[in-house]
């Protein structure tokens, strides 16, 4: 019997009022149920928000170092459980063991980082125009915030929203993705062990429509931080903005790597290959377009094809190069994009099939795929695929490379491979993306610098991570103090 897990509201593990549940299955072996979770309702969301609102004043009044102590102990509790959490992540979301271990470590580090930040929320002091007067700003928590997270980084993203929200003195209701709620549940077990006061952070599982939508729209919620698809994020932003609450949505990407003639092609292939096929292409920052100068196009295509064909695919627990898609729906969507690319006139260079055979039959495995002769206006070069599919576009000079890189609605991460310093700097200046990298893969982020997109990749309101993470979760009060 799979374990049935409950919501966490007011410091108690509680069942949903309706009593319905849903199963979460292993995408590498769908016979395995990872856990059974509450299919919660709007009433459960109401309950959690009411609890969080009631706890907010005391939490905001708790000294920053004590809030930090709880975050630090949460990180340490997670560190003790790292191997178990890693294995659960692999079984639930499908990442390889190495990828999952890196993500769990990232979550531990995020709690440690914001533990220290909680004593340093900032504020400025300015010279007043009047005598005997102080003029300064102080940072205050927003209040009670709603967090909505996707399945593809099921522990890092909840951590990078929860930790700064709590560090700044907010109380929280979080709804994790239904495909991968276990990692948020593990974080809550660690928060509980660390002694988080009841009501400060609340976990409600369930569908986007029954839990996510009412959470985003609720008038007692002061801020909404969402990560997920551009279509859902746009609806969330619109409903949150209805009563002028602060909102931040980080969404999809169509991330390019430009390969110039001065690049070392072996390095370029590693940079593009890891960016495109790592995490099965299921990263918002995954490289889905290689924009390659004509002088090195043939050499690059041959090498990236060999790279894709050399990858070992299998269940993440065996730590292969690439694990499965998270679901049948995601796998079908990837295969559909391969057909669309072919119909639009691109060439399928390698891959493009579901993997078959004993090891693969119970799961959602797909071949790493390279599509060449792609034109920038084709759908395969414009739309987020969210699978291990690389579209290769040939360009004749640097200006065309930048124009193609920018010729999409998204603007999350972008990179260039070049040995030419001027070209590298001109790329950083010109590329329309929230993250610009030189000689590095589009994926992979440091936790203490801002992260977020341009254009349709973001609501373009606030960034996440680092100090920017605290900016979203705090508001500024300006104080005029005469004495
Ligand atoms: P999604 O379908 O948009 O779902 C994201 C979250 O929103 C889930 O918790 C989902 O709940 C919930 N949701 C669904 N409908 C909702 C509604 N009407 N109102 C409120 N919440 C609702 O995205 P996903 O498939 O989980 O994640 C993949 C997407 O996330 C990709 O587009 C990827 O690029 C993007 N992403 C962006 C970043 C970034 O930082 N820019 C990082 C990671 C991922 P259910 O799970 O219950 O449906």
């Amino acid at each position: 019997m799979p374990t049935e897990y409950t919501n966490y509201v007011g410091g108690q593990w509680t069942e949903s009022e309706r009593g319905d549940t849903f199963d979460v299955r292993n995408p590498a072996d769908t016979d395995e149920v990872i856990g059974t979770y509450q299919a919660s309702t709007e009433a459960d969301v109401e309950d959690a928000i009411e609890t969080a609102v009631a706890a907010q004043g005391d939490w905001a009044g708790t000294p920053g170092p004590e809030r930090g102590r709880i975050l630090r102990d949460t990180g340490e509790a997670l560190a003790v459980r790292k191997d178990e959490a890693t294995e659960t992540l692999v079984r639930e979301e499908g990442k390889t063991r190495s990828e999952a271990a890196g993500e769990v470590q990232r979550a531990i580090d995020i709690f440690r980082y914001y533990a220290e930040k909680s004593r340093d929320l900032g504020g400025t002091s300015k010279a007043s125009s009047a005598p005997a007067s102080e003029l300064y700003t102080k940072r205050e928590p927003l209040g009670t915030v709603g967090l909505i997270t996707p399945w593809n980084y099921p522990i890092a993203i909840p951590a990078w929203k929860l930790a700064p929200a709590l560090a700044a003195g907010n109380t929280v209701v979080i709804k994790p993705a239904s495909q991968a709620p276990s990692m948020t549940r593990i974080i809550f077990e660690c928060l509980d062990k660390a002694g988080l006061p009841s009501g400060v952070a609340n976990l409600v599982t369930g569908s986007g429509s029954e839990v996510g939508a009412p959470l985003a729209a609720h008038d007692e919620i002061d801020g909404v931080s969402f990560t997920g698809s551009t279509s859902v994020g746009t609806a969330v932003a619109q409903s949150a903005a209805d009563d002028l609450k602060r909102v931040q949505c980080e969404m999809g990407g169509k991330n390019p790597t430009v390969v110039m003639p001065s690049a070392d092609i072996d390095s370029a292939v590693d940079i593009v290959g890891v960016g495109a096929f790592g995490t099965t292409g299921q990263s918002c920052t995954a490289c889905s377009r290689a924009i390659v100068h004509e002088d090195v196009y043939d050499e690059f295509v041959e090498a990236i094809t060999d790279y894709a064909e050399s990858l070992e695919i299998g269940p993440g627990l065996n730590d292969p190069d690439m694990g499965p898609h998270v679901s049948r729906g995601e796998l079908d969507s990837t295969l559909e994009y391969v057909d669309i690319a072919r119909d639009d006139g691109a060439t399928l260079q390698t891959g493009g099939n579901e993997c078959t055979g004993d090891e693969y039959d119970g799961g959602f495995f797909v071949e790493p795929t390279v599509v060449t002769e792609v034109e920038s206006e084709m759908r395969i070069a414009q739309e987020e695929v969210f699978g291990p599919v690389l579209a290769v576009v040939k360009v004749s000079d640097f200006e065309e490379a930048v124009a193609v890189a920018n010729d999409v609605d998204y603007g999350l991460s972008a990179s260039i491979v070049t040995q030419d310093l001027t070209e590298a700097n001109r790329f950083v200046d010109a590329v329309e993306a929230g993250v610009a990298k030189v000689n590095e893969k589009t994926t992979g982020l440091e936790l203490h610098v801002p992260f977020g997109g341009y254009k349709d990749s973001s609501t373009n309101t606030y960034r996440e991570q680092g100090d920017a993470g605290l900016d979203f979760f705090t508001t500024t009060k300006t104080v005029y103090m005469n004495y």
Side-chain angles (χ1 to χ4, degrees):
M1 271 294 281
T3 307
E4 182 174 326
Y5 297 104
T6 53
N7 293 331
Y8 183 86
V9 176
Q12 302 294 322
W13 294 97
T14 53
E15 286 179 7
S16 157
E17 53 95 29
R18 190 170 58 196
D20 289 353
T21 57
F22 62 96
D23 288 343
V24 178
R25 288 173 186 275
N26 181 345
D29 172 10
T30 52
D31 286 342
E32 185 189 0
V33 176
I34 305 302
T36 298
Y37 282 86
Q38 304 300 303
S40 308
T41 66
E42 188 166 349
D44 297 314
V45 178
E46 286 278 348
D47 216 31
I49 292 173
E50 203 178 298
T51 307
V53 168
Q56 206 271 321
D58 283 352
W59 182 241
T62 301
E66 169 59 9
R67 293 200 299 264
R69 197 273 305 158
I70 290 171
L71 294 182
R72 192 174 316 107
D73 288 357
T74 301
E76 298 321 311
L78 195 50
V80 168
R81 295 178 64 181
K82 182 176 172 187
D83 289 347
E84 172 217 337
T86 297
E87 182 153 334
T88 304
L89 202 165
V90 173
R91 286 185 188 282
E92 185 173 79
E93 194 267 353
K95 278 195 172 75
T96 67
R97 203 183 269 278
S98 305
E99 291 166 345
E103 191 187 334
V104 173
Q105 186 60 47
R106 171 60 171 259
I108 295 165
D109 292 344
I110 288 169
F111 276 99
R112 289 174 174 160
Y113 173 80
Y114 283 109
E116 302 311 318
K117 283 284 171 185
S118 64
R119 62 175 75 219
D120 181 21
L121 294 184
T124 54
S125 180
K126 300 282 181 184
S128 168
S129 308
S133 179
E134 295 283 347
L135 185 59
Y136 63 94
T137 64
K138 58 195 289 254
R139 306 287 288 275
E140 297 185 338
L142 270 187
T144 297
V145 296
L147 312 179
I148 301 173
T149 55
W151 49 263
N152 69 326
Y153 283 94
I155 190 159
I157 295 177
W160 84 46
K161 293 184 191 297
L162 277 165
L166 296 174
N170 298 277
T171 54
V172 170
V173 178
I174 185 168
K175 184 213 114 49
S178 300
Q179 248 147 0
S182 295
M183 306 314 292
T184 306
R185 187 251 308 157
I186 289 175
I187 291 177
F188 270 72
E189 288 165 0
C190 295
L191 285 165
D192 186 73
K193 188 167 181 2
L196 187 78
S198 64
V200 171
N202 304 276
L203 161 67
V204 183
T205 57
S207 72
S209 54
E210 283 197 279
V211 178
L215 178 59
H218 201 283
D219 60 6
E220 296 267 15
I221 289 287
D222 302 297
V224 175
S225 181
F226 166 94
T227 300
S229 61
T230 297
S231 56
V232 174
T234 304
V236 164
Q238 283 163 348
S239 94
D242 260 0
D243 67 344
L244 305 181
K245 58 172 71 78
R246 185 176 291 186
V247 62
Q248 161 191 67
C249 297
E250 291 303 332
M251 305 176 279
K254 190 69 193 172
N255 312 291
T257 293
V258 169
V259 180
M260 294 303 289
S262 64
D264 173 73
I265 293 303
D266 288 344
S267 313
V269 166
D270 278 346
I271 286 168
V272 171
V274 174
F277 307 125
T279 66
T280 322
Q282 299 175 130
S283 289
C284 51
T285 50
C287 174
S288 61
R289 296 179 294 150
I291 300 169
V292 184
H293 192 282
E294 59 190 10
D295 289 357
V296 288
Y297 181 85
D298 290 341
E299 190 187 351
F300 176 83
V301 167
E302 194 182 327
I304 194 75
T305 303
D306 288 348
Y307 179 100
E309 289 173 355
S310 75
L311 294 178
E312 186 198 342
I313 308 160
L317 287 176
N318 302 343
D319 209 22
D321 298 315
M322 200 178 94
H325 254 306
V326 75
S327 66
R328 168 58 56 189
E330 292 292 335
L331 171 59
D332 288 347
S333 164
T334 292
L335 296 177
E336 200 182 321
Y337 270 107
V338 173
D339 289 342
I340 290 169
R342 266 194 298 227
D343 291 350
D344 284 351
T347 301
L348 177 60
Q349 196 72 30
T350 188
N353 299 299
E354 183 169 356
C355 303
T356 50
D358 283 352
E359 195 185 358
Y360 301 125
D361 284 347
F364 307 123
F365 296 93
V366 65
E367 296 169 351
T369 300
V370 178
V371 181
T372 56
E373 310 301 329
V374 172
E375 301 292 337
S376 185
E377 65 275 10
M378 290 179 184
R379 286 181 64 192
I380 194 70
Q382 291 289 325
E383 298 174 19
E384 185 179 51
V385 177
F386 227 55
V389 179
L390 177 71
V392 188
V393 184
K394 189 196 289 187
V395 291
S396 50
D397 56 29
F398 175 79
E399 282 68 30
E400 190 188 355
V402 172
V404 169
N406 288 340
D407 181 31
V408 290
D409 291 335
Y410 295 107
L412 193 52
S413 179
S415 77
I416 185 169
V417 191
T418 178
Q419 294 304 313
D420 180 327
L421 185 61
T422 303
E423 221 166 58
N425 278 293
R426 286 176 61 207
F427 178 79
V428 169
D429 287 347
V431 79
E432 295 165 358
V435 176
K437 295 184 168 189
V438 175
N439 296 324
E440 205 183 311
K441 60 191 189 315
T442 53
T443 49
L445 303 163
E446 299 237 11
L447 61 89
H448 58 300
V449 286
F451 172 54
Y454 282 17
K455 304 199 278 190
D456 292 358
S457 291
S458 172
T459 39
N460 295 288
T461 46
Y462 289 79
R463 292 280 184 255
E464 298 199 270
Q465 308 200 54
D467 288 329
L470 293 168
D471 290 344
F472 179 79
F473 291 111
T474 52
T475 189
T476 300
K477 183 173 281 173
T478 307
V479 183
Y480 294 73
M481 173 73 68
N482 295 308
Y483 55 90

